[in-house]
Amino acid sequence: MLLPAKAEVARQLRRYRAWERVMLASPADHAVRATFEDSGYTLCVLMGKRCAREAADAAERYLGSTLGAYLREQNERPRTGAAERRGPPKAQQHFAAGR
């Protein structure tokens, strides 16, 4: 697994938190909301997460731990149910009675 430089993660996390504060102060401002969402997307890409909140949490854990500890934590996390199923769903078998 490739991980980004901690300095870049820290910079993007600060940017995300700053825009989060601005967005909460001006929720009706579409330009502010768009910039906040862009900063969240960037954090998601850096941390390999689908949700900006998860990405921010992961960034905080990554910055607060050693590389080895972070990787162990990521490997120990349970996978979601959607990721467990692979391939098409199994077809149901129908048995005709008396044949």
Side-chain angles (χ1 to χ4, degrees), residues 16-69:
Y16 173 79
R17 293 295 185 206
W19 280 108
E20 182 179 41
R21 288 188 297 275
V22 174
M23 197 272 305
L24 289 172
S26 305
D29 188 334
H30 295 290
V32 168
R33 181 172 289 277
T35 306
F36 169 65
E37 289 175 357
D38 286 347
S39 68
Y41 176 78
T42 301
L43 203 55
C44 285
V45 171
L46 275 175
M47 300 310 299
K49 302 294 181 183
R50 293 182 180 215
C51 168
R53 291 229 178 254
E54 288 177 9
D57 291 344
E60 288 172 351
R61 284 191 310 273
Y62 177 56
L63 293 172
S65 67
T66 64
L67 178 61

Side-chain angles (χ1 to χ4, degrees), residues 5-16 43 46 63:
K6 284 193 173 191
E8 183 63 20
V9 173
R11 187 173 76 81
Q12 292 299 331
L13 183 59
R14 282 192 307 271
R15 181 174 181 259
Y16 173 79
L43 203 55
L46 275 175
L63 293 172

Side-chain angles (χ1 to χ4, degrees), residues 49 54 57-58 61 70-80:
K49 302 294 181 183
E54 288 177 9
D57 291 344
R61 284 191 310 273
Y70 180 77
L71 290 174
R72 277 191 305 277
E73 175 188 320
Q74 294 303 305
N75 289 334
E76 292 171 0
R77 294 184 148 232
R79 303 287 186 236
T80 61

